[in-house]
Amino acid sequence: MRTGRRPAALRAAGLALAGALVLGVGTAGWAYWHLNHNIRSVDIGNALGDDRPARPQASSAASAVPAAALPSGALNILVLGSDSRSGEENRRLGGGDSEGARSDTAMVVHVDAGRRTATVVSIPRDTLVTRPSCPLPSGERTDEADAVMFNSAYAVGGPVCAVKTVESLTGVRMDHYLEIDFSGFAKLVDALGGVTVTTGEDIDDDRSRLHLPAGTHHLDGTRALALARTRHGIGDGSDLGRIGLQQELVKALLEQIRATGLPADPARLYRVADTVTGSLTTDTGLDSLGELTRLGQSLRGLSAGRVRTVTMPVVPAPSDPDRVVAEEPAASRLWASLR
C-alpha cells in the first residue's frame, strides 16, 4: 500500500500536470513533487488477485493503439464518498465524533469506448446485499454476510472490500477506484469557485444543516456538501431522494470545471490540482500524477450533456421496509450493459 494523496473530479485530474508545468522551471519541479506525493492509494489489484470478474477482451483496434497514445477503451470506476469521522474538518462538516468511516455515496462510473459518453450508476447505501469474504491488511479475512447494508463493506474492510462487494453485486470488473471524504469534496467545490444547482422543491433539513427554497442557487463547498448529504428535507426522506441530488451535483461540477477556464489561470489551476490530489484515495493504477493526467486527458471530450445518470433498480426489502434490494431482472440487465 502506497501512501500520499490523490484526485477525484475526473476531468480536473487531466489538468493537474499542465498546471504544475506553467508555474516556472524551479517551481514546477517542486509543484510536481508536491502534487505527486499528495496521492494516497490502496493496492486493490494485489489484494483481490484473480478472484474477480474477467476483464472484457480488448478489441483488435484498441490493442493496436500505440502505447504513447491516450487510452480510449471503455472503463469502469468505482467512486465512493466517505463520511470519514477522522480530523477536525470532517467532524465539523458532519462526520461525527467517533473514528471510522462508511461509504456514504457509491457510484459506478462507466465510460464508453472512445471516452466521449458515460453512464453514472448510483448504488443506494441502504441496499441489502450478500457481502463476500474480503482480505484484510493483517492477512485475515472478513466473514461472508447475508442481507447486510451495502455500505457495511467499506466499514468492515475498507476500499478492498467495497470493490469486492460491488464486483460481487454487479458482475462488473472495476478498473479503478476513487474516494473522496467530506472535507475534500467541500474544498474542491470552493477551489472551483462554487457550483450552481437548481432544486425543484424547498429543502429544510436540520440534520444536514441545509435550508434552501426551490430554485437556482450558487453554493459554496459547505452547502454543496450539505446538498449531497440531505435526505430528510426532501421527498419521502429516503436515500433515493438524496441520490437524485448527488447526480445533479456531478453534472453541475462537470459544467463548473468546463466554465472556469482553468488552463488560462495557472495559480487557480494549481490550487484545484492541490485540492484534488490532497482529497482522494485511488487504486495503485492511478497513484501518480502522470497516470491521473493521462486519465483526465482521455476524458477531455466528456461533458455534462454526455453523462447519463441512473440508479440501480431497487424495490423495498421484504424483511425491512426501510431497506431496499436489487430489482431483478432489471438490475442485472443494467449491469450487463456495462460489461
Side-chain angles (χ1 to χ4, degrees):
M1 175 173 170
R2 180 174 171 230
T3 55
R5 284 210 141 177
R6 73 304 151 222
L10 299 177
R11 298 182 62 251
L15 302 173
L17 181 58
L21 294 178
V22 296
L23 294 176
V25 177
T27 305
W30 177 87
Y32 186 95
W33 180 92
H34 174 72
L35 295 176
N36 208 49
H37 282 73
N38 270 350
I39 302 168
R40 180 171 62 200
S41 66
V42 178
D43 192 352
I44 292 171
N46 185 59
L48 295 183
D50 296 327
D51 186 20
R52 309 179 67 182
R55 293 184 187 278
Q57 286 198 345
S59 67
S60 56
S63 61
V65 174
L70 290 174
S72 60
L75 202 60
N76 290 303
I77 305 172
L78 176 60
V79 179
L80 292 187
S82 164
D83 68 344
S84 172
R85 280 123 165 105
S86 62
E88 182 179 342
E89 284 187 276
N90 280 318
R91 287 194 293 271
R92 178 180 62 81
L93 291 167
D97 297 323
S98 60
E99 291 301 312
R102 297 165 300 182
S103 53
D104 197 57
T105 302
M107 296 179 176
V108 173
V109 178
H110 173 79
V111 183
D112 296 308
R115 304 199 177 182
R116 297 182 64 82
T117 58
T119 300
V120 177
V121 184
S122 295
I123 302 175
R125 71 174 192 173
D126 294 340
T127 304
L128 297 182
V129 301
T130 296
R131 189 182 66 226
S133 173
C134 301
L136 296 172
S138 65
E140 299 179 345
R141 300 185 67 90
T142 65
D143 293 329
E144 181 177 308
D146 292 323
V148 296
M149 282 179 58
F150 167 76
N151 68 348
S152 70
Y154 185 94
V156 303
V160 170
C161 198
V163 170
K164 188 168 181 63
T165 300
V166 168
E167 291 185 342
S168 176
L169 173 67
T170 67
V172 178
R173 174 77 168 246
M174 295 296 111
D175 298 294
H176 292 298
Y177 172 83
L178 292 170
E179 174 194 329
I180 187 167
D181 62 20
F182 279 1
S183 66
F185 178 82
K187 287 178 180 177
L188 173 61
V189 172
D190 283 337
L192 289 170
V195 64
T196 300
V197 297
T198 300
T199 61
E201 60 180 295
D202 294 344
I203 298 175
D204 190 16
D205 188 353
D206 289 332
R207 297 194 187 188
S208 67
R209 308 168 193 171
L210 184 67
H211 304 277
L212 285 177
T216 299
H217 307 276
H218 191 74
L219 306 179
D220 64 9
T222 298
R223 293 209 298 166
L225 174 63
L227 184 67
R229 298 187 63 230
T230 195
R231 63 187 290 182
H232 299 285
I234 56 169
D236 61 1
S238 73
D239 195 40
L240 299 179
R242 170 167 56 184
I243 282 174
L245 294 176
Q246 292 171 347
Q247 291 172 342
E248 288 303 312
L249 270 173
V250 168
K251 291 187 175 183
L253 278 170
L254 285 173
E255 285 299 321
Q256 184 66 16
I257 290 167
R258 179 181 289 272
T260 51
L262 290 177
D265 188 346
R268 188 177 190 184
L269 175 57
Y270 178 79
R271 288 196 300 272
V272 171
D274 192 28
T275 297
V276 169
T277 54
S279 300
L280 293 177
T281 298
T282 72
D283 63 283
T284 49
L286 291 177
D287 65 353
S288 77
L289 197 55
E291 290 158 345
L292 285 164
T293 297
R294 280 173 57 79
L295 172 63
Q297 289 174 336
S298 77
L299 298 170
R300 65 184 180 273
L302 188 61
S303 64
R306 292 174 174 170
V307 176
R308 179 173 70 112
T309 55
V310 297
T311 301
M312 182 182 77
V314 294
V315 293
S319 61
D320 186 344
D322 292 329
R323 302 288 180 258
V324 296
V325 294
E327 180 183 9
E328 297 296 356
S332 291
R333 286 198 297 265
L334 172 62
W335 298 125
S337 71
L338 306 187
R339 294 185 190 126

